[in-house]
Amino acid sequence: MAIIELKKGIHYVGAIDWDRRLFDELIPLPDGTSYNSYLIKGSERTALIDTVDPTKQDELMSNLEKLGIEDIDYVVAHHAEQDHSGSIPGVLERYPNAKVVTGPKCKGMLMDLLQIPEDRFITVEDGETLSLGDRTLEFIYAPWVHWPETILTYLKEDKILFTCDFLGSHLATSELFVTDEAKVYQAAKRYYAEIMMPFRNKIIKHLEKIEQMEVEIIATSHGPIYNNPKFILDAYKEWVSPDVKNEVIVAFVSMHDSTRKMVEHLVEELTERGVVVKVYNLSKTDIGELAMDLVDAATIVVASPTVLTGAHPLAMYAVYLTNALRPKLRFATIIGSYGWGGRMVDQIIGMLTNLKVELIDPVVIKGYPREEDFKALSKMADEIFEKHKGINVMK
Ligand code: FEO
């Protein structure tokens, strides 16, 4: 990305990854991503805030070169994951006087992951400050967004909060600031769902802390940055709130249409009762879309045939991810079909250990659904409808 001046003496020097489509070999990136890095010049010292993914190191170095940067005093490492830290060794080599500024936990991880020598670090405590002359960096510990070592930096005089992954989005765009809030809302929600949701309770506390601060710009290390911090803080408050929506996710896989017929009937019955249903065919779906709907939904229905005595592997994958993401689901149930037996229900329930869900009686049938099976699914729709009436439901 081109070098952009955010404010006098503060430049964006990061890189956009327009065509990256997978992160951690797991998370789909339909809109690419960016690795945001910022150069802050103070009257006496210069700091680089995060680096970029090692695949984009040349862009970072070229940006620093174009800006005529001969010396860097501090490289602030908010987070040890390599998409931000991976170019630190290259920066340290080019700028031999530079020190990596981070918390003790991140220091240990950077020494392990990138083999950065110990004498290149300055460690800071929560709340500690570092002067650049006429500008001051204040460091704020923010563990578990999404690794245990994460810190944030508040540039006091400019009221800019640098948050690394936290509050970010995987969205490649040449616009530095958010211009299309609806688009960024979706990308940031996907990011929250895929990466931050398991740490909802920690995030609530971090948001409370940020709300006490005077922040004019939130500069993340992925996606466009926020000159209206309220937009992203309000979105996060909604996502982390204990309330859920009157929504059911049906995550299904069907081999010979028995399970599909059951799904179609249940979806119709729920829709007639005014319950919003989001249906995902697990053989086709982008798992990130499913994760996004898990942010708000009250109920999940896992629908699967029986394969080799258990649930279909695609259903197991979705259940595993759902359990790992720890959404605020209130209810769960299972529907599906078997040919001659199996232990699908016990297997799925056994994988939902992280969720505080009430189990609604499953409907698992032999073969193709008959009249009484459809009746059982209608009864399930009644039960879900009644359960949803008794909970806090977001509008
Ligand atoms: Fe963007 Fe956790 O790295």
Side-chain angles (χ1 to χ4, degrees):
M1 181 159 165
I3 300 162
I4 301 175
E5 192 168 46
L6 274 78
K7 274 191 165 189
K8 194 162 173 38
I10 306 172
H11 289 86
Y12 179 99
V13 290
I16 301 179
D17 208 337
W18 296 99
D19 53 8
R20 186 164 181 179
R21 287 292 175 267
L22 204 57
F23 198 87
D24 291 345
E25 302 303 321
L26 171 68
I27 298 167
L29 303 181
D31 304 309
T33 191
S34 64
Y35 317 108
N36 303 341
S37 172
Y38 307 90
L39 190 86
I40 306 173
K41 278 189 187 170
S43 57
E44 294 169 20
R45 283 173 285 278
T46 299
L48 182 68
I49 304 286
D50 286 326
T51 66
V52 297
D53 190 88
T55 57
K56 297 287 180 184
Q57 180 174 312
D58 289 351
E59 277 187 50
L60 170 67
M61 294 311 217
S62 151
N63 285 343
L64 295 173
E65 188 115 333
K66 280 188 213 154
L67 276 175
I69 304 302
E70 285 305 322
D71 273 312
I72 289 176
D73 299 281
Y74 307 124
V75 181
V76 176
H78 287 132
H79 172 36
E81 196 164 12
Q82 289 88 334
D83 52 326
H84 310 289
S85 68
S87 297
I88 292 177
V91 171
L92 294 182
E93 195 180 332
R94 166 65 185 82
Y95 297 96
N97 296 322
K99 297 277 189 190
V100 180
V101 178
T102 192
K105 199 164 268 179
C106 188
K107 172 185 163 184
M109 292 172 94
L110 290 173
M111 288 172 66
D112 290 338
L113 294 171
L114 301 173
Q115 301 182 353
I116 298 173
E118 188 160 19
D119 63 1
R120 298 301 301 266
F121 286 92
I122 295 173
T123 54
V124 288
E125 295 298 320
D126 185 25
E128 196 172 332
T129 59
L130 198 57
S131 174
L132 304 180
D134 58 351
R135 289 185 149 125
T136 315
L137 306 174
E138 180 181 343
F139 304 101
I140 299 157
Y141 282 17
W144 297 113
V145 289
H146 57 127
W147 283 14
E149 86 302 15
T150 312
I151 63 170
L152 318 179
T153 299
Y154 182 52
L155 185 58
K156 286 174 115 166
E157 292 76 8
D158 300 275
K159 300 184 174 56
I160 301 176
L161 183 66
F162 296 94
T163 57
C164 198
D165 279 346
F166 186 36
L167 308 171
S169 61
H170 282 311
L171 180 58
T173 168
S174 63
E175 293 175 308
L176 180 64
F177 289 100
V178 173
T179 53
D180 182 344
E181 287 194 344
K183 185 172 183 184
V184 177
Y185 180 92
Q186 289 303 315
K189 186 173 186 181
R190 175 187 272 264
Y191 191 90
Y192 167 80
E194 293 170 338
I195 296 163
M196 298 292 166
M197 187 156 61
F199 311 104
R200 193 168 69 88
N201 291 328
K202 304 268 190 247
I203 288 172
I204 290 169
K205 292 194 171 59
H206 298 322
L207 290 174
E208 285 167 3
K209 206 167 182 181
I210 292 174
E211 294 236 294
Q212 303 304 314
M213 300 166 65
E214 212 180 326
V215 178
E216 288 179 359
I217 292 175
I218 290 178
T220 58
S221 294
H222 290 296
I225 68 179
Y226 307 96
N227 51 9
N228 172 20
K230 189 174 180 319
F231 157 67
I232 191 65
L233 294 174
D234 283 353
Y236 260 72
K237 277 195 277 181
E238 178 192 325
W239 301 332
V240 300
S241 86
D243 297 342
V244 289
K245 288 185 177 167
N246 179 24
E247 288 180 6
V248 173
I249 293 175
V250 180
F252 85 96
V253 54
S254 183
M255 296 191 301
H256 299 291
D257 276 351
S258 300
T259 302
R260 179 190 292 277
K261 273 281 162 216
M262 296 176 76
V263 165
E264 286 170 359
H265 183 80
L266 180 64
V267 169
E268 197 173 308
E269 294 286 297
L270 287 167
T271 306
E272 280 174 5
R273 288 159 180 77
V275 179
V276 176
V277 192
K278 309 278 179 79
V279 184
Y280 287 99
N281 180 341
L282 296 170
S283 67
K284 296 180 167 64
T285 195
D286 166 348
I287 207 81
E289 300 276 339
L290 172 65
M292 276 173 81
D293 281 330
L294 284 169
V295 172
D296 307 310
T299 297
I300 187 166
V301 177
V302 180
S304 173
T306 303
V307 183
L308 299 172
T309 76
H312 191 287
L314 290 175
M316 294 305 282
Y317 178 55
V319 169
Y320 177 86
L321 275 180
T322 300
N323 187 59
L325 292 174
R326 299 172 184 258
K328 52 192 180 189
L329 288 163
R330 303 290 180 81
F331 309 101
T333 191
I334 299 153
I335 66 173
S337 165
Y338 62 90
W340 53 88
R343 52 191 178 85
M344 177 172 77
V345 167
D346 289 343
Q347 199 183 36
I348 291 174
I349 292 170
M351 286 184 75
L352 291 175
T353 50
N354 288 341
L355 304 188
K356 297 187 178 79
V357 288
E358 181 184 334
L359 188 71
I360 293 170
D361 280 344
V363 175
V364 178
I365 64 157
K366 189 163 193 249
Y368 199 77
R370 299 174 171 81
E371 197 50 41
E372 65 265 28
D373 302 321
F374 289 124
K375 277 188 187 150
L377 291 166
S378 301
K379 191 164 159 284
M380 176 182 273
D382 278 336
E383 194 175 351
I384 291 172
F385 171 71
E386 289 300 327
K387 298 268 185 205
H388 282 203
K389 281 204 298 193
I391 56 175
N392 293 337
V393 173
M394 287 195 282
K395 299 292 173 214

